């Protein structure tokens, strides 16, 4: 019996060992498979595959039509779910409550307490605070789509019963805190108890005596070339898009920087530019580093009147550089490279640099790097050299694109405000997509027919009241294409306002300063940006793919 036990015991032990070895081998093999998958897996490209998540992020409910036309126009102020809070030092809006407080401070609102008949009062004292109260109350009643932020003391108009008044405002549909200026001429009468009453107001920018005094750019200081690059002089005083400097060499050396070299995104559409730029800026914020940015853009040929890519465009033509530098830590590439070279020339110990040659090195892997400069290089073939690849996969869970930093150019928005103001902010709008889509019958079989003038007019009759101001935002190049609509509506097109970017305009002068005195073309992207923002401000908005046609925005069978 003992012999039998001795012979069977080693066999049982061997079986147990064999089973445990097999289980361990399976476990190791499974771990190895998962490791290989984790290392080699690349998530779908959100840009090239038009992922719904990207489309939803870049597209607003008010303005979905424009995205499909390779005209991504939504920036941070459009994507915000609620109005962005103004700076702490800004003044609050003028409301009925603030007007009543002003009246309490003034006390007696009667102009003349003597026995003189009100009909004998012919001259308006424009500096009288009761005049301003009358204007404020009139504006609140008439311009309901406007938030009035600040008034200046009225000045004399061209006649004894007129005053010119200037104020700053914001449209209620704009979610940024930026302010715009209007100045109008008001004609006064006297109401009950000899109180001031606005009898009539003239149109947009009619109060020329209240217009701000233009200040010419001052010479000296930072020097000619830098002053030209700085901009901001002589135009809108609330625009300050001068290029920040790092200051001393010590300040440069103390900083930590994230530097992206130019990649495959260059000369792609503005859609892709924003998506990639905000990826880089988001990584810099995650790493707590200053982002080195190139202010020179390449305008895609899809926006160019020449039909070819145009290099050398300034970021500040299209975006609000002042807001960007206030919202994020950035340094302009030219300033940065000069300081970098200057340090290396004057010091034996060079600036520590880590070069990253692939987007597969994640931001998390760089989070503890002590190098002064992390230099991402994008030398691989497309699409491996797109900036936005850095923010794919796991990186998307901890690197957020800072949309709040990227707003449209205030210069373009001034044009938007002027067009809207010319219509007293009381207009409806229709967006008409034609162009290449109307020719592509396989994807949009009915679009061409549904956007003929007769078809548009039939649709509008049920949506827009006759003889309303109607703004037509469109990529249709033929100006007279919409003439048939003029039989029912007061039609406005972007080209009706071409003087706003003509060679006598503020926009022309200010952008020329940014371009070393050379004129800047009002290009295709600017046109669509302005068109879109005016469209958004319409009271009734008629969209191509929601109202004019049953074709799908992305082509047949994509609804």
């Amino acid at each position: 019996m003992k012999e039998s036990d001795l012979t069977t015991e080693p066999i049982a032990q061997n079986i147990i060992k064999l089973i445990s070895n097999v289980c361990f081998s399976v476990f190791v093999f499974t771990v190895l498979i998962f490791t290989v998958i984790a290392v080699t897996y690349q998530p779908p490209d959100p840009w090239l595959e038009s992922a719904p998540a990207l489309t939803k992020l870049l597209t607003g409910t008010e303005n979905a039509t424009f995205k499909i036309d390779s005209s991504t126009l939504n920036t941070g102020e459009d994507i915000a779910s609620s109005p962005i809070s103004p700076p702490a030092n800004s003044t609050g809006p003028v409301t009925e409550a603030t007007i009543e407080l002003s009246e309490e401070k003034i006390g007696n609102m009667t102009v003349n307490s003597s026995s003189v008949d009100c009909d004998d009062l012919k001259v308006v004292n424009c500096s009288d605070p009761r005049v301003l109260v009358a204007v404020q109350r009139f504006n609140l009643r008439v311009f309901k789509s406007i938030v009035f932020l600040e008034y200046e003391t009225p000045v004399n108009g061209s006649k004894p019963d007129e005053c010119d008044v200037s104020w700053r405002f914001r449209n209620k549909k704009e979610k940024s805190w930026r302010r715009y200026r209007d100045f109008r001429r008001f004609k006064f009468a006297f109401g009950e108890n000899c109180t001031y009453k606005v009898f009539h107001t003239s149109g947009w920018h009619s109060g020329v005596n209240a217009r701000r005094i233009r200040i010419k750019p001052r010479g000296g200081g930072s020097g000619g070339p830098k002053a030209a690059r700085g901009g901001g002089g002589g135009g809108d005083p609330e625009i300050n898009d001068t290029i920040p400097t790092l200051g001393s060499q010590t300040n440069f050396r103390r900083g930590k920087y994230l530097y992206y070299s130019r990649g495959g995104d260059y000369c792609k559409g503005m859609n892709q530019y924003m998506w990639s730029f905000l990826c880089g800026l988001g990584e810099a914020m995650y790493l707590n580093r200053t982002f080195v940015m190139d202010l020179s853009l390449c305008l895609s040929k899809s926006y160019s009147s020449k039909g070819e890519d145009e290099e050398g465009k300034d970021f500040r033509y299209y975006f609000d550089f002042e807001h960007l530098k206030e919202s994020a830590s950035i340094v302009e590439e030219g300033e940065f490279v000069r300081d970098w070279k200057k340090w290396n020339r004057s010091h034996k110990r060079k600036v520590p640099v880590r070069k990253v040659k692939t987007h597969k090195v994640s931001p998390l892997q760089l989070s503890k790097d002590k190098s002064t400069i992390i230099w991402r290089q994008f030398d691989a073939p497309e699409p491996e050299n797109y900036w936005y690849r850095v923010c794919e996969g796991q990186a998307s869970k901890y690197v957020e694109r800072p949309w709040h930093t990227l707003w449209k150019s205030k210069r373009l928005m001034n044009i938007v405000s002027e067009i809207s103001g010319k219509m007293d902010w009381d207009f409806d709008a229709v967006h008409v997509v034609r162009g290449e889509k109307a020719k592509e019958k396989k994807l949009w079989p009915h679009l061409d027919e549904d956007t003929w003038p007769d078809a548009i007019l039939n649709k509008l009759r049920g949506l827009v009241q006759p003889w309303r101001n109607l703004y037509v935002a469109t990529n249709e190049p033929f100006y007279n294409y919409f003439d048939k609509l003029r039989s029912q509506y007061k039609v406005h097109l972007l080209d009706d306002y071409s003087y706003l970017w003509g060679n006598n305009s503020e926009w022309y002068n200010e952008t020329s300063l940014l371009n070393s005195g050379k004129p800047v073309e009002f290009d295709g992207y600017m046109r669509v940006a302005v068109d879109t923002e005016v469209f958004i401000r319409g009271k009734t908005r008629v969209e191509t793919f929601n109202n004019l046609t049953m074709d799908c925005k992305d082509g047949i069978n994509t609804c």
Side-chain angles (χ1 to χ4, degrees), residues 280-344:
L281 188 60
E283 183 186 21
M285 289 180 167
Y286 171 75
L287 298 175
N288 196 25
R289 288 175 173 267
T290 296
F291 187 64
V292 182
M293 67 170 292
D294 183 2
L295 284 179
S296 179
L297 306 185
C298 176
L299 183 72
S300 170
K301 61 184 178 183
S302 59
Y303 304 113
S304 170
S305 62
K306 301 175 182 177
E308 57 188 34
D309 297 334
E310 293 185 53
E311 299 188 48
K313 297 289 186 176
D314 196 306
F315 177 93
R316 294 169 292 180
Y317 299 164
Y318 309 101
F319 302 104
D320 189 330
F321 186 61
E322 178 180 10
H323 175 68
L324 176 63
K325 66 186 181 182
E326 290 175 350
S327 308
S329 178
I330 59 169
V331 60
E332 191 267 330
E333 182 184 43
E335 297 282 340
F336 169 78
V337 171
R338 278 191 291 272
D339 285 344
W340 183 5
K341 290 180 177 179
K342 186 176 180 181
W343 176 276
N344 283 347

Side-chain angles (χ1 to χ4, degrees), residues 391-411:
C391 297
E392 291 180 338
Q394 291 296 316
S396 64
K397 296 180 179 179
Y398 49 85
V399 174
E400 295 183 4
R401 284 178 171 83
W403 282 100
H404 66 280
T405 65
L406 193 64
W407 291 358
K408 290 183 181 70
S409 161
K410 177 71 161 28
R411 295 183 178 93

Side-chain angles (χ1 to χ4, degrees), residues 131-177:
V131 168
L132 183 56
V133 167
V135 170
Q136 291 173 335
R137 185 159 275 134
F138 176 86
N139 281 349
L140 281 183
R141 185 176 73 253
V142 174
F143 303 120
K144 297 185 181 298
S145 61
I146 296 300
V147 178
F148 294 93
L149 300 172
E150 179 184 334
Y151 284 85
E152 294 181 9
T153 302
V155 299
N156 293 334
S158 61
K159 297 179 181 179
D161 60 349
E162 293 178 344
C163 296
D164 290 359
V165 187
S166 173
W167 60 83
R168 290 181 174 87
F169 69 92
R170 181 179 66 249
N171 189 285
K172 288 181 179 178
K173 291 185 179 179
E174 179 165 350
K175 294 175 183 176
S176 81
W177 45 259

